[in-house]
Amino acid sequence: MGSTSHSKGRLNRALGELSLDVPFALVIVVASSLVAALGVVPTVQALVGLPVLLFLPGYALLLALFPAGSSDAPTEGPSFGRFEWQPNLSLAERLALAFGMSVALVPVVGLTLLWTGVGLDTAPVLLALAAVIVVGLAVGEARRQRLPEAERFRVPIRRWYADVVRSFDQPSRVDSFLNVALAFAVIVAGASLGYALVAPGTGESYSSLSLLTQDAGGEFVAADYPEALTVGEQTSLFVSVENVEGEATSYTLVAELQRVERANGEVTVVERQVLGSRTETVEDGETWRTRHNFAPALTGEDLRLTYFLYEGDAPAEPSTETAYRSAYVWITVTEEPTAGGADDAGDDA
């Protein structure tokens, strides 16, 4: 027993001499950078990156501003004449302020990146926050070392460790068992909270359907749709389907050119030209983009070029009422200037 007590005493003294907040924070910053660079799964990225986003920037700034611990004695701080005052921040107050200041600093960092033209990609945001943390910790540690040791702010690891050891050193087995159960409950609660913060929620399941064109730079845009065509003129549109259903989904895409009539607020299809159909299985979180080539055979103004999206098979006569998603553009088709153009029209899905 004497050897065990002596070992505990040496460990307590070693912990009391260490200031682990700065190296621990730097380890988290380096780990978050490595996780982001290696493209680890998003849940792990969130677990490691959450302190960098919501806690460490404020903690580093507080350490730089107030390196002294909670004390009633005047210490190094803002100067008022010949008297220097340092706010008495308890550990709980410092932790709460660190969270609040981090939340306030993140928009400032984001606006600075936008103003400088860097943008809000993951890499520059992470680098900027890491710079704020490292500079704040360096300044704070330098100021802390200038203070008398008794006045320095320290995370009370030694006291925490001693309290934990003492709580388990109970003469009653029931008390020891309750302490073990309490410690286990705290660990489970902390893990559950962390998982709830970073785990992807179930959210709403949906699929999106978009009609796109390609601009001169090769970018896909939801603009510049064809408006005036001639019979048999080969034209193309890009159709984009995004799967956020939570599972792989089989889609059927059907394209039609429709002549419609409007009466009493209702739209009735009076003539249709099937332009093709295609079935594709898309993994969850993936986007299927396909190029659809077609040549109109119907003529007239305000013809509706409609795309229907179904989960699974499509019915023989698709409609906006039965389709899972639908999208359309209005076009005008005129007669082919040269003879025989309409006879050469063809479909391509």
Side-chain angles (χ1 to χ4, degrees):
M1 291 295 293
S3 177
T4 303
S5 301
H6 184 64
S7 299
K8 290 181 179 179
R10 285 191 299 177
L11 182 57
N12 283 337
R13 288 193 298 272
L15 290 174
E17 295 169 358
L18 292 177
S19 179
L20 295 179
D21 52 347
V22 170
F24 186 70
L26 293 177
V27 168
I28 294 178
V29 171
V30 173
S32 64
S33 302
L34 290 176
V35 166
L38 295 176
V40 183
V41 293
T43 301
V44 176
Q45 291 186 27
L47 281 172
V48 178
L50 204 61
V52 176
L53 186 68
L54 296 180
F55 180 75
L56 289 181
Y59 183 87
L61 183 58
L62 280 173
L63 184 62
L65 294 174
F66 310 121
S70 178
S71 172
D72 295 331
T75 58
E76 180 185 357
S79 177
F80 299 92
R82 300 181 61 183
F83 177 75
E84 293 185 346
W85 173 78
Q86 176 79 24
N88 292 332
L89 294 179
S90 66
L91 181 62
E93 292 171 334
R94 188 179 290 266
L95 296 180
L97 284 173
F99 175 78
M101 293 182 70
S102 297
V103 172
L105 279 172
V106 169
V108 175
V109 172
L111 290 174
T112 302
L113 293 176
L114 288 176
W115 182 71
T116 56
V118 176
L120 297 179
D121 293 334
T122 302
V125 171
L126 185 61
L127 183 61
L129 290 175
V132 171
I133 295 169
V134 171
V135 171
L137 292 176
V139 173
E141 185 63 23
R143 296 192 64 204
R144 180 162 57 182
Q145 294 300 322
R146 291 170 54 190
L147 295 173
E149 186 170 354
E151 298 177 5
R152 298 173 187 173
F153 164 72
R154 291 183 183 275
V155 179
I157 298 176
R158 177 183 177 183
R159 177 165 56 83
W160 291 347
Y161 175 78
D163 290 343
V164 170
V165 172
R166 187 165 50 251
S167 68
F168 287 99
D169 190 17
Q170 300 290 339
S172 171
R173 291 186 176 182
V174 175
D175 291 339
S176 298
F177 175 78
L178 291 176
N179 287 330
V180 171
L182 178 60
F184 179 75
V186 170
I187 294 173
V188 171
S192 300
L193 177 61
Y195 180 80
L197 289 173
V198 303
T202 54
E204 181 184 1
S205 298
Y206 66 92
S207 300
S208 65
L209 173 66
S210 305
L211 303 182
L212 307 171
T213 60
Q214 223 171 0
D215 61 16
E219 297 292 329
F220 292 100
V221 295
D224 300 326
Y225 300 115
E227 297 179 354
L229 303 174
T230 57
V231 171
E233 179 182 354
Q234 286 287 336
T235 308
S236 64
L237 277 179
F238 291 91
V239 185
S240 179
V241 178
E242 182 184 9
N243 178 11
V244 196
E245 299 290 347
E247 60 182 1
T249 305
S250 177
Y251 297 102
T252 298
L253 182 67
V254 181
E256 286 189 350
L257 182 61
Q258 302 171 335
R259 192 189 313 280
V260 299
E261 290 183 352
R262 302 180 182 88
N264 300 324
E266 295 185 357
V267 178
T268 304
V269 179
V270 296
E271 188 178 4
R272 68 180 73 212
Q273 174 193 358
V274 178
L275 299 176
S277 65
R278 181 174 175 181
T279 300
E280 187 79 16
T281 298
V282 184
E283 296 296 326
D284 177 47
E286 299 294 329
T287 298
W288 168 41
R289 182 175 294 129
T290 181
R291 178 171 184 166
H292 178 226
N293 301 315
F294 65 94
L298 300 180
T299 60
E301 296 181 353
D302 291 337
L303 298 178
R304 192 170 70 177
L305 175 60
T306 309
Y307 291 84
F308 303 101
L309 183 68
Y310 289 89
E311 289 184 316
D313 297 330
E317 192 169 289
S319 66
T320 55
E321 290 76 19
T322 61
Y324 180 42
R325 293 286 185 269
S326 64
Y328 60 85
V329 294
W330 298 99
I331 63 174
T332 297
V333 182
T334 57
E335 292 288 347
E336 180 75 23
T338 58
D343 295 333
D344 296 332
D347 301 338
D348 183 15

Coordinates of all heavy atoms in Angstrom, one line a residue, residues 16-68:
G16 N 0.6 18.1 -11.6 CA 0.5 19.5 -11.2 C 1.5 20.4 -11.9 O 1.3 21.6 -12.0
E17 N 2.6 19.9 -12.3 CA 3.6 20.7 -12.9 C 3.4 20.9 -14.4 O 4.1 21.7 -15.0 CB 5.0 20.0 -12.7 CG 5.4 20.0 -11.2 CD 6.6 19.1 -11.0 OE1 7.1 18.5 -12.0 OE2 7.1 19.0 -9.9
L18 N 2.5 20.2 -15.0 CA 2.2 20.3 -16.4 C 1.2 21.3 -16.7 O 0.2 21.4 -16.0 CB 1.8 18.9 -17.0 CG 2.9 17.8 -17.0 CD1 2.3 16.5 -17.5 CD2 4.1 18.2 -17.8
S19 N 1.3 22.0 -17.8 CA 0.3 22.9 -18.4 C -0.1 22.3 -19.7 O 0.5 22.6 -20.8 CB 0.8 24.3 -18.5 OG -0.2 25.1 -19.1
L20 N -1.1 21.4 -19.7 CA -1.4 20.6 -20.9 C -2.4 21.3 -21.9 O -2.6 20.7 -22.9 CB -2.0 19.3 -20.4 CG -1.1 18.4 -19.6 CD1 -1.8 17.1 -19.2 CD2 0.2 18.0 -20.4
D21 N -2.9 22.4 -21.5 CA -3.9 23.0 -22.4 C -3.3 23.4 -23.8 O -3.9 23.1 -24.8 CB -4.6 24.2 -21.8 CG -3.6 25.2 -21.3 OD1 -2.4 24.9 -21.2 OD2 -4.1 26.4 -20.9
V22 N -2.1 24.0 -23.8 CA -1.5 24.4 -25.1 C -1.1 23.2 -25.9 O -1.5 23.1 -27.1 CB -0.4 25.4 -24.8 CG1 0.4 25.6 -26.1 CG2 -0.9 26.7 -24.2
P23 N -0.3 22.3 -25.4 CA 0.0 21.1 -26.3 C -1.2 20.3 -26.7 O -1.3 19.8 -27.8 CB 1.0 20.3 -25.4 CG 0.8 20.7 -24.0 CD 0.4 22.2 -24.1
F24 N -2.2 20.2 -25.8 CA -3.4 19.4 -26.2 C -4.2 20.1 -27.3 O -4.6 19.5 -28.3 CB -4.3 19.2 -25.0 CG -5.5 18.4 -25.2 CD1 -5.3 17.0 -25.4 CD2 -6.7 18.9 -25.2 CE1 -6.4 16.2 -25.6 CE2 -7.9 18.1 -25.5 CZ -7.7 16.7 -25.7
A25 N -4.3 21.4 -27.2 CA -4.9 22.2 -28.3 C -4.2 22.1 -29.6 O -4.8 22.0 -30.7 CB -5.1 23.7 -27.8
L26 N -2.9 22.2 -29.5 CA -2.1 22.0 -30.8 C -2.2 20.7 -31.4 O -2.3 20.5 -32.6 CB -0.6 22.3 -30.5 CG -0.3 23.8 -30.1 CD1 1.2 23.9 -29.7 CD2 -0.7 24.8 -31.2
V27 N -2.3 19.6 -30.6 CA -2.5 18.3 -31.1 C -3.9 18.2 -31.8 O -4.0 17.6 -32.9 CB -2.5 17.2 -30.0 CG1 -3.0 15.9 -30.4 CG2 -1.0 17.1 -29.5
I28 N -4.9 18.8 -31.3 CA -6.2 18.8 -31.9 C -6.2 19.6 -33.3 O -6.7 19.1 -34.3 CB -7.3 19.4 -31.0 CG1 -7.5 18.6 -29.8 CG2 -8.6 19.6 -31.7 CD1 -8.5 19.1 -28.8
V29 N -5.5 20.7 -33.3 CA -5.4 21.5 -34.5 C -4.6 20.7 -35.6 O -5.1 20.6 -36.8 CB -4.6 22.8 -34.3 CG1 -4.3 23.5 -35.6 CG2 -5.5 23.7 -33.4
V30 N -3.5 20.0 -35.2 CA -2.8 19.2 -36.2 C -3.6 18.0 -36.7 O -3.7 17.7 -37.9 CB -1.5 18.7 -35.6 CG1 -0.8 17.7 -36.5 CG2 -0.6 19.9 -35.3
A31 N -4.3 17.4 -35.7 CA -5.2 16.2 -36.1 C -6.3 16.6 -37.0 O -6.6 15.9 -38.0 CB -5.7 15.6 -34.8
S32 N -6.9 17.7 -36.8 CA -8.0 18.2 -37.7 C -7.5 18.5 -39.0 O -8.2 18.2 -40.0 CB -8.7 19.4 -37.1 OG -7.8 20.5 -37.0
S33 N -6.3 19.1 -39.1 CA -5.7 19.3 -40.4 C -5.4 18.1 -41.2 O -5.7 17.9 -42.4 CB -4.5 20.2 -40.3 OG -4.7 21.4 -39.6
L34 N -4.9 17.1 -40.5 CA -4.5 15.8 -41.1 C -5.8 15.1 -41.6 O -5.9 14.5 -42.7 CB -3.8 14.9 -40.2 CG -2.3 15.3 -39.9 CD1 -1.7 14.4 -38.8 CD2 -1.5 15.4 -41.2
V35 N -6.8 15.1 -40.7 CA -8.1 14.4 -41.1 C -8.7 15.1 -42.3 O -9.2 14.4 -43.2 CB -9.1 14.5 -39.9 CG1 -10.5 14.1 -40.3 CG2 -8.6 13.5 -38.8
A36 N -8.7 16.4 -42.4 CA -9.3 17.1 -43.5 C -8.5 16.8 -44.8 O -9.0 16.6 -45.9 CB -9.3 18.6 -43.3
A37 N -7.1 16.8 -44.7 CA -6.3 16.5 -45.8 C -6.4 15.1 -46.3 O -6.3 14.9 -47.6 CB -4.8 16.8 -45.5
L38 N -6.6 14.1 -45.4 CA -6.7 12.7 -45.8 C -8.1 12.3 -46.3 O -8.2 11.2 -46.8 CB -6.2 11.8 -44.7 CG -4.8 12.0 -44.2 CD1 -4.5 11.1 -43.0 CD2 -3.8 11.6 -45.4
G39 N -9.0 13.2 -46.1 CA -10.4 12.9 -46.6 C -11.1 11.8 -45.8 O -11.7 10.9 -46.4
V40 N -10.9 11.8 -44.5 CA -11.5 10.8 -43.6 C -13.0 11.0 -43.6 O -13.5 12.0 -44.0 CB -10.9 10.9 -42.2 CG1 -11.4 9.8 -41.3 CG2 -9.4 10.8 -42.3
V41 N -13.7 10.0 -43.2 CA -15.2 10.0 -43.2 C -15.7 11.2 -42.5 O -15.1 11.7 -41.5 CB -15.8 8.7 -42.6 CG1 -15.5 7.5 -43.4 CG2 -15.3 8.6 -41.2
P42 N -16.8 11.8 -43.0 CA -17.3 13.1 -42.4 C -17.5 13.1 -40.9 O -17.3 14.1 -40.2 CB -18.6 13.3 -43.1 CG -18.4 12.6 -44.4 CD -17.6 11.4 -44.1
T43 N -18.0 11.9 -40.3 CA -18.2 11.9 -38.9 C -16.9 12.1 -38.1 O -16.9 12.8 -37.1 CB -18.9 10.5 -38.5 OG1 -20.1 10.4 -39.2 CG2 -19.1 10.4 -37.0
V44 N -15.8 11.5 -38.5 CA -14.6 11.6 -37.9 C -14.1 13.1 -38.0 O -13.5 13.7 -37.1 CB -13.5 10.6 -38.4 CG1 -12.2 10.9 -37.8 CG2 -14.0 9.2 -38.1
Q45 N -14.2 13.6 -39.2 CA -13.9 15.0 -39.5 C -14.6 15.9 -38.5 O -14.0 16.9 -38.0 CB -14.2 15.4 -40.9 CG -13.3 14.7 -42.0 CD -13.5 15.3 -43.3 OE1 -13.9 16.4 -43.5 NE2 -13.3 14.5 -44.3
A46 N -15.9 15.7 -38.3 CA -16.7 16.6 -37.4 C -16.2 16.4 -36.0 O -16.1 17.4 -35.2 CB -18.1 16.2 -37.6
L47 N -15.9 15.2 -35.5 CA -15.5 15.0 -34.2 C -14.2 15.7 -33.9 O -14.0 16.3 -32.8 CB -15.3 13.5 -33.9 CG -16.6 12.7 -33.6 CD1 -16.3 11.2 -33.6 CD2 -17.2 13.1 -32.3
V48 N -13.3 15.6 -34.8 CA -12.0 16.3 -34.6 C -12.1 17.8 -34.9 O -11.4 18.6 -34.2 CB -10.9 15.6 -35.5 CG1 -9.6 16.3 -35.3 CG2 -10.8 14.1 -35.2
G49 N -12.9 18.2 -35.8 CA -12.9 19.6 -36.2 C -13.8 20.4 -35.4 O -13.7 21.7 -35.4
L50 N -14.7 19.8 -34.6 CA -15.7 20.6 -33.8 C -15.0 21.5 -32.8 O -15.4 22.7 -32.7 CB -16.7 19.7 -33.1 CG -18.0 20.3 -32.8 CD1 -18.8 20.8 -34.0 CD2 -18.9 19.2 -32.0
P51 N -14.0 21.0 -32.1 CA -13.3 21.9 -31.1 C -12.6 23.1 -31.8 O -12.5 24.2 -31.3 CB -12.3 21.0 -30.4 CG -12.8 19.6 -30.6 CD -13.5 19.6 -31.9
V52 N -12.0 22.8 -33.0 CA -11.4 23.9 -33.8 C -12.4 25.0 -34.2 O -12.0 26.1 -34.3 CB -10.7 23.3 -35.0 CG1 -10.0 24.4 -35.9 CG2 -9.6 22.3 -34.6
L53 N -13.6 24.6 -34.4 CA -14.6 25.5 -34.9 C -15.3 26.2 -33.7 O -15.5 27.4 -33.8 CB -15.6 24.8 -35.7 CG -16.7 25.6 -36.4 CD1 -16.1 26.4 -37.5 CD2 -17.8 24.7 -37.0
L54 N -15.6 25.5 -32.7 CA -16.5 26.1 -31.7 C -15.9 26.3 -30.3 O -16.6 26.8 -29.4 CB -17.7 25.1 -31.5 CG -18.6 25.0 -32.7 CD1 -19.8 24.1 -32.4 CD2 -19.2 26.3 -33.2
F55 N -14.6 26.0 -30.1 CA -14.1 26.1 -28.7 C -12.7 26.7 -28.7 O -12.4 27.7 -28.0 CB -14.1 24.8 -28.0 CG -13.5 24.9 -26.6 CD1 -14.2 25.5 -25.6 CD2 -12.2 24.4 -26.3 CE1 -13.7 25.6 -24.3 CE2 -11.7 24.5 -25.1 CZ -12.4 25.1 -24.0
L56 N -11.7 26.2 -29.5 CA -10.3 26.5 -29.4 C -10.0 28.0 -29.8 O -9.2 28.6 -29.1 CB -9.5 25.6 -30.2 CG -9.3 24.2 -29.6 CD1 -8.4 23.3 -30.4 CD2 -8.8 24.2 -28.1
P57 N -10.7 28.6 -30.8 CA -10.4 30.0 -31.1 C -10.6 30.9 -29.9 O -9.8 31.8 -29.6 CB -11.3 30.3 -32.3 CG -11.5 29.0 -32.9 CD -11.6 28.0 -31.8
G58 N -11.8 30.7 -29.3 CA -12.1 31.6 -28.1 C -11.2 31.3 -26.9 O -10.8 32.2 -26.2
Y59 N -10.9 30.0 -26.7 CA -10.0 29.6 -25.6 C -8.6 30.3 -25.8 O -8.1 30.8 -24.8 CB -9.9 28.1 -25.5 CG -9.1 27.6 -24.3 CD1 -9.6 27.5 -23.1 CD2 -7.7 27.4 -24.5 CE1 -8.9 27.0 -22.0 CE2 -6.9 27.0 -23.4 CZ -7.5 26.8 -22.2 OH -6.8 26.4 -21.1
A60 N -8.1 30.2 -27.0 CA -6.8 30.8 -27.3 C -6.8 32.3 -27.1 O -5.9 32.9 -26.5 CB -6.3 30.5 -28.7
L61 N -7.9 33.0 -27.5 CA -8.0 34.4 -27.3 C -8.1 34.8 -25.9 O -7.5 35.8 -25.4 CB -9.2 35.0 -28.1 CG -9.4 36.5 -28.1 CD1 -8.1 37.2 -28.7 CD2 -10.6 36.9 -28.9
L62 N -8.9 34.0 -25.1 CA -9.0 34.3 -23.7 C -7.6 34.1 -23.0 O -7.3 34.8 -22.0 CB -10.0 33.4 -23.1 CG -11.5 33.8 -23.3 CD1 -12.4 32.7 -22.8 CD2 -11.8 35.1 -22.5
L63 N -6.9 33.1 -23.4 CA -5.6 32.8 -22.7 C -4.6 34.0 -23.0 O -3.9 34.4 -22.2 CB -5.0 31.5 -23.3 CG -3.7 31.1 -22.6 CD1 -3.8 30.9 -21.1 CD2 -3.1 29.8 -23.3
A64 N -4.7 34.5 -24.3 CA -3.9 35.7 -24.6 C -4.3 36.9 -23.8 O -3.4 37.7 -23.4 CB -3.9 35.9 -26.1
L65 N -5.6 37.1 -23.6 CA -6.0 38.3 -22.9 C -5.9 38.2 -21.4 O -5.5 39.1 -20.7 CB -7.5 38.6 -23.3 CG -7.8 39.0 -24.7 CD1 -9.3 39.2 -25.0 CD2 -7.1 40.3 -25.1
F66 N -6.2 37.0 -20.9 CA -6.3 36.8 -19.4 C -5.5 35.5 -19.1 O -6.1 34.5 -18.9 CB -7.7 36.7 -19.0 CG -8.6 37.8 -19.4 CD1 -9.7 37.5 -20.2 CD2 -8.3 39.1 -19.2 CE1 -10.5 38.5 -20.7 CE2 -9.1 40.1 -19.6 CZ -10.3 39.8 -20.4
P67 N -4.2 35.6 -19.0 CA -3.3 34.4 -18.7 C -3.3 34.1 -17.2 O -2.8 33.0 -16.9 CB -2.0 34.9 -19.2 CG -1.9 36.3 -19.0 CD -3.3 36.8 -19.3
A68 N -3.9 34.9 -16.4 CA -3.8 34.6 -14.9 C -5.1 33.8 -14.6 O -6.1 33.8 -15.2 CB -3.8 35.9 -14.1

